[in-house]
Amino acid sequence: MASTTDTEKHPRGLYVLFFTEMWERFSYYGMRAILLLYLIKSAAEGALGLPEDTSGAIYGLYTSSVYLLTLPGGWIADNMLGQKKAIWWGGIVIMIGHILLAIPGSNPIFFLGLCTVAVGTGLLKPNISSIVGDLYPEGGARRDAGFSIFYIGINLGSFLGMTIVGYLGEKVGWHYGFGAAAVAMFLGLVGFRLNSKYLDGLGDPPMVKSKPTFIYVVIGLLLVIAALLVSGVLNAISLAEVMKYVIVTITILYFFYIGMLDKTLSIVERKRVAVLFVFFIGAALFWSGFEQAGSSLTIFADRHTDRVIGGWEMPASWFQTANAFFILVFSAPIGALWVYLNRKKINPYTPVKFGLGLIQMGLGFLVMYWAAQYAVEGIKVGLGWLTLTYLLHTLGELFLSPVGLSTYTKLAPKKYYSQMMGLWFVAASLGNLIAGVFAGNFNEENVAEMPSLFLQVCLFGVGFGIVMILFYKPFKNWMGGIQ
Ligand code: GLN
């Protein structure tokens, strides 16, 4: 069993997971940083030259599927493979996906690559996060601290990936960027395999394995969607519309089944599931604003921001590194702030942190509302606007995301551990889809609408944030004593 020598030190296994996730996020965010640009930019620039609405829908569908597939990915680990094998196979599938993307000149292979990366990430992402929770069976503040360190790994990978893949993709050739993502995942797999001894006794296959009926249903659904797309009954835009409802329905059914129908759970456990549902809504709203980093905000960086520094034009995708950079800078101070407030016994309850996270996301869009007014007049704005937005979004993320991850591992009924982790990422799935579809409104003909589009997001974020803060007491009570 992985153990710690003293209460302060973190288990070695954390660093194995840290680096594996770092390389996985390098590949994910690196590729994602250039994905929308690759879809939108013209064939003359070596890209696909698709219209904004189709590109936004494809981008939204891809990023949303990546996180939606964490549900079957969590199920496979809980019921069949165990987390460790799921991570290993997930990583291999992701690497194959990026290799497919790196093959130039064929759209079907490119889209097959996107699907492959999504399936692999669904297997890897929830399970690597749930093993982090397993490293700290006692839960509590040490588990939170473990997740904060893990979160640094995520963002280190994201920063390096966006910088390197972004540069290669935009300045050298798109497919070199995608190839670099494959190499990164390979490095992650090697590190995971070589150091697997530090995870002994964790994430092993379950004693009693379930029949894969659920997975057959998922595969069946995916085949139906593929058939509808290939036959032209649905296109990317209409599928994205349908997907929103599909995700909301799946989520409600899943929560309803676990919280209401599974009679083996106690009342306390069910109340916790209800709180997780509220956190789900908060997180979905947060991500639908935040995840515009890769969609509308990158379009804004590309078209309306003056990116020339000393005669050299910075790649538009590099803006997205601001988020990872600020996480690296602010993780430790914010972690220390929680410890300090805890000591003073005034550490905000999780629902309040969620509320504050949402408000900061909303304020980031208030900044964009101003910036967009200059853009409407045809002025290319300075680098500061987007940077300030990313700062606010990142601070909001630090209030909400590591806390949410950790809280999900603490409140989840044991039996549904990785699936609950999957549900946390489904909130990101919904958010990403909305963020992608929303970016479809940002075409060059209706630039005038930009300020009001940004203002809408601001109002949603701030509004729901205030609601979460006002109602923190019942939510906190339903957590049943878990901090
Ligand atoms: N940036 C974090 C990650 O990649 C959170 C992403 C999300 O949940 N939307 O894990």
Side-chain angles (χ1 to χ4, degrees):
M1 186 83 182
S3 63
T4 49
T5 45
D6 68 57
T7 45
E8 288 307 313
K9 243 170 99 185
H10 288 277
R12 297 281 287 268
L14 178 65
Y15 298 99
V16 180
L17 301 170
F18 177 103
F19 285 109
T20 310
E21 179 68 343
M22 183 190 90
W23 287 118
E24 186 272 328
R25 292 285 97 180
F26 178 116
S27 69
Y28 174 72
Y29 281 111
M31 188 282 268
R32 210 190 75 163
I34 54 171
L35 176 59
L36 194 68
L37 296 174
Y38 179 68
L39 294 169
I40 290 184
K41 289 204 180 251
S42 65
E45 291 167 284
L48 299 187
L50 300 171
E52 280 89 348
D53 49 0
T54 307
S55 304
I58 294 173
Y59 178 87
L61 282 169
Y62 164 70
T63 51
S64 134
S65 312
V66 160
Y67 288 117
L68 186 60
L69 290 170
T70 58
L71 260 193
W75 189 95
I76 289 177
D78 282 342
N79 294 287
M80 297 169 69
L81 287 184
Q83 282 84 358
K84 253 184 326 210
K85 279 200 182 134
I87 294 171
W88 173 250
W89 288 109
I92 292 178
V93 175
I94 292 172
M95 184 180 71
I96 295 172
H98 286 296
I99 293 173
L100 292 175
L101 295 179
I103 299 173
S106 159
N107 286 5
I109 293 186
F110 179 80
F111 289 115
L112 182 66
L114 286 183
C115 298
T116 312
V117 177
V119 169
T121 315
L123 258 178
L124 184 144
K125 180 78 172 148
N127 299 316
I128 198 160
S129 315
S130 54
I131 295 206
V132 174
D134 280 338
L135 289 168
Y136 307 89
E138 77 286 5
R142 264 186 87 240
R143 186 182 284 193
D144 289 351
F147 270 106
S148 298
I149 296 177
F150 181 68
Y151 218 75
I152 293 178
I154 290 179
N155 286 284
L156 196 56
S158 157
F159 182 80
L160 295 172
M162 289 174 177
T163 315
I164 296 172
V165 176
Y167 178 81
L168 287 173
E170 280 189 69
K171 301 280 183 188
V172 182
W174 302 103
H175 298 279
Y176 288 97
F178 300 138
V183 173
M185 193 61 252
F186 174 73
L187 295 174
L189 282 164
V190 172
F192 185 69
R193 188 33 56 104
L194 291 181
N195 294 298
S196 60
K197 62 174 182 288
Y198 295 114
L199 297 170
D200 271 356
L202 296 171
D204 291 323
M207 298 291 193
V208 190
K209 297 198 173 92
S210 306
K211 291 212 182 78
T213 324
F214 175 64
I215 299 307
Y216 291 145
V217 174
V218 173
I219 295 174
L221 279 175
L222 292 177
L223 290 177
V224 171
I225 294 175
L228 291 173
L229 277 175
V230 172
S231 64
V233 175
L234 283 179
N235 61 23
I237 298 174
S238 48
L239 178 60
E241 263 317 300
V242 176
M243 271 285 271
K244 274 195 260 177
Y245 300 104
V246 172
I247 297 177
V248 171
T249 313
I250 292 178
T251 307
I252 293 176
L253 289 179
Y254 226 100
F255 271 109
F256 184 75
Y257 174 78
I258 298 178
M260 307 290 250
L261 299 185
D262 186 341
K263 301 286 179 223
T264 63
L265 299 186
S266 67
I267 295 288
V268 176
E269 283 178 309
R270 288 189 204 185
K271 282 189 175 167
R272 287 183 185 148
V273 173
V275 185
L276 290 178
F277 184 63
V278 176
F279 288 162
F280 177 95
I281 301 174
L285 266 176
F286 179 83
W287 296 123
S288 56
F290 176 93
E291 293 290 7
Q292 289 186 41
S295 61
S296 62
L297 298 183
T298 293
I299 296 181
F300 193 90
D302 187 48
R303 294 179 184 160
H304 306 292
T305 305
D306 180 7
R307 288 175 282 119
V308 179
I309 307 169
W312 177 74
E313 186 173 61
M314 189 176 107
S317 54
W318 274 21
F319 261 103
Q320 296 177 52
T321 61
N323 167 240
F325 173 78
F326 286 136
I327 292 265
L328 298 177
V329 173
F330 288 106
S331 281
I334 294 215
L337 177 69
W338 301 148
V339 173
Y340 171 79
L341 294 177
N342 212 13
R343 223 180 287 132
K344 300 238 154 216
K345 301 209 179 343
I346 47 170
N347 193 7
Y349 293 113
T350 307
V352 176
K353 286 185 183 155
F354 261 65
L356 292 172
L358 275 158
I359 292 174
Q360 292 175 87
M361 181 279 280
L363 293 180
F365 277 98
L366 194 60
V367 173
M368 288 316 293
Y369 167 67
W370 267 310
Q373 295 179 9
Y374 290 108
V376 169
E377 287 167 26
I379 300 170
K380 280 204 168 196
V381 304
L383 306 172
W385 293 93
L386 271 171
T387 311
L388 181 57
T389 294
Y390 280 125
L391 174 63
L392 286 161
H393 282 188
T394 306
L395 293 174
E397 180 184 2
L398 281 170
F399 273 60
L400 183 142
S401 184
V403 179
L405 263 176
S406 185
T407 308
Y408 257 65
T409 67
K410 291 179 196 166
L411 294 182
K414 188 75 202 146
K415 195 170 151 192
Y416 296 105
Y417 191 50
S418 285
Q419 289 163 79
M420 273 295 170
M421 207 66 257
L423 272 172
W424 165 255
F425 289 115
V426 173
S429 165
L430 189 57
N432 269 289
L433 185 63
I434 297 173
V437 172
F438 192 79
N441 295 312
F442 285 70
N443 66 43
E444 296 190 79
E445 279 91 60
N446 63 358
V447 172
E449 277 183 33
M450 224 170 14
S452 69
L453 288 169
F454 284 137
L455 190 61
Q456 272 176 31
V457 193
C458 164
L459 295 177
F460 267 106
V462 173
F464 196 76
I466 292 175
V467 170
M468 284 202 80
I469 294 174
L470 289 178
F471 288 94
Y472 84 90
K473 260 215 177 109
F475 298 148
K476 179 209 124 207
N477 292 342
W478 282 20
M479 288 168 72
I482 288 183
Q483 294 288 314

